[in-house]
Amino acid sequence: MDILTTIIYLFLFIMMMVFVFSIGMLKQYMPKKEVLLVLVVAFLIGSIGGAFFIDPIYDELPNVVGVIEKTMPNNEETLYLDLSSSTNIEELRSNLSSTPGFKSFEEKSITIPLWTFSDFERNYFQEIVGNIDYNYKDYNVTKSEIKINLTDNYTSTQALKSFSDWYQLVYGGTLSYAQIRAVLVVDSSALDTFEKNLLERGIVASQIDGPVQDIVNNTNSSMLSNWEFTLVCGGIGVIVAIMGIYIDSVVLAYMKFRKFLREKRKR
């Protein structure tokens, strides 16, 4: 929501509260039993105004605090990327590293989907994978895929080549697909730039960690639901109406108090 729309919505809600206040000031011209009706109307007007004008602004609160957090110096965000083996990793790395706000880009693991293993095949892979390449930090074999974690500074291209060469030698076939897990660390102030850059390549981070994401998540978890917030706005309408109802009494009491002070000074 842009600033102009926010200002307009706030202005309209304030105007509704002015109307409620004005209704409350009419108390002296209406029977006492109708005061309750004024409070009900005030609640309805506050609820409607809150639902239509304030709730959209309230929903933007996580984004607002996120934008503020992005301006804090030395904040970093970590983006977890699940990439296809067809992605040109070196070109992606070069593009990202040349973007202002870049901190680091590391390829962490590769996941190779195969067929559904029998118990014998699974045991075989569990024993043999670690011998294919000493740069495999560790690995995990499930019923249908093999996940290999990479040592530092070892690329997914190198890991896939060594596994593919072994697979072709043993099975006489080629690998059709693999998933690469990479971790991108960027300056928080440049997060939007990197997300847009990745999206243009058809890449969306599967997870984002960092102070910006933390404060957005914490704000979301602490916010009222839409209906609860609507009830709060209705309560504001009631409070404004009560202020209008008793404003004359307050003003009269204030004037009497000032008169009392003046007379006391004269003495």
Side-chain angles (χ1 to χ4, degrees):
M1 182 181 295
D2 57 68
I3 296 178
L4 179 60
T5 303
T6 301
I7 293 174
I8 292 174
Y9 279 9
L10 286 174
F11 176 78
L12 291 174
F13 183 76
I14 291 172
M15 289 298 99
M16 294 180 76
M17 292 301 99
V18 170
F19 177 68
V20 168
F21 186 83
S22 301
I23 294 177
M25 291 183 67
L26 297 176
K27 173 207 170 187
Q28 56 181 321
Y29 303 107
M30 64 179 71
K32 289 185 177 181
K33 62 182 181 179
E34 292 188 6
V35 172
L36 180 61
L37 178 61
V38 170
L39 297 180
V40 172
V41 171
F43 178 81
L44 292 175
I45 293 176
S47 298
I48 294 172
F52 283 95
F53 301 127
I54 304 301
D55 190 58
I57 299 174
Y58 184 67
D59 288 341
E60 291 292 320
L61 184 59
N63 293 330
V64 172
V65 297
V67 169
I68 295 173
E69 186 66 27
K70 286 177 184 177
T71 63
M72 299 296 139
N74 302 319
N75 277 353
E76 294 181 352
E77 301 297 311
T78 302
L79 292 79
Y80 296 88
L81 311 177
D82 293 320
L83 310 171
S84 167
S85 53
S86 62
T87 303
N88 188 333
I89 301 295
E90 289 308 312
E91 190 276 333
L92 176 63
R93 182 194 299 274
S94 175
N95 179 274
L96 294 174
S97 62
S98 62
T99 304
F102 172 83
K103 297 294 184 180
S104 67
F105 178 82
E106 297 181 54
E107 299 162 67
K108 293 294 186 178
S109 67
I110 58 173
T111 300
I112 305 168
L114 296 172
W115 62 89
T116 301
F117 303 140
S118 65
D119 290 339
F120 174 80
E121 289 170 327
R122 184 180 179 185
N123 291 335
Y124 170 71
F125 279 115
Q126 284 178 331
E127 291 179 4
I128 200 66
V129 171
N131 298 322
I132 296 174
D133 191 327
Y134 67 88
N135 285 297
Y136 295 170
K137 185 177 182 179
D138 54 63
Y139 60 92
N140 180 46
V141 181
T142 66
K143 273 290 186 180
S144 60
E145 65 182 24
I146 300 172
K147 179 180 178 181
I148 302 171
N149 295 317
L150 309 178
T151 58
D152 295 340
N153 301 319
Y154 195 61
T155 68
S156 59
T157 302
Q158 294 170 306
L160 284 171
K161 184 178 185 309
S162 62
F163 188 90
S164 180
D165 289 345
W166 172 85
Y167 184 82
Q168 187 173 27
L169 179 66
V170 175
Y171 289 93
T174 57
L175 300 176
S176 58
Y177 174 79
Q179 187 180 71
I180 301 166
R181 179 77 160 181
V183 176
L184 171 65
V185 180
V186 303
D187 191 284
S188 293
S189 61
L191 178 61
D192 291 341
T193 301
F194 281 92
E195 286 187 307
K196 182 179 178 181
N197 189 347
L198 292 169
L199 187 59
E200 290 174 350
R201 298 166 177 270
I203 302 171
V204 177
S206 59
Q207 179 183 343
I208 302 177
D209 290 336
V212 172
Q213 196 62 37
D214 289 343
I215 196 169
V216 169
N217 292 337
N218 291 336
T219 303
N220 275 319
S221 64
S222 63
M223 289 177 65
L224 300 174
S225 63
N226 288 342
W227 70 268
E228 289 173 331
F229 185 75
T230 300
L231 292 179
V232 170
C233 290
I236 293 174
V238 171
I239 292 173
V240 171
I242 292 174
M243 291 172 61
I245 290 172
Y246 292 103
I247 187 66
D248 289 340
S249 300
V250 172
V251 171
L252 182 61
Y254 176 71
M255 292 178 66
K256 288 182 177 179
F257 179 70
R258 290 192 60 184
K259 182 179 179 181
F260 170 76
L261 290 179
R262 285 197 299 269
E263 291 178 350
K264 189 174 181 180
R265 288 172 183 170
K266 288 179 180 178
R267 294 175 186 173

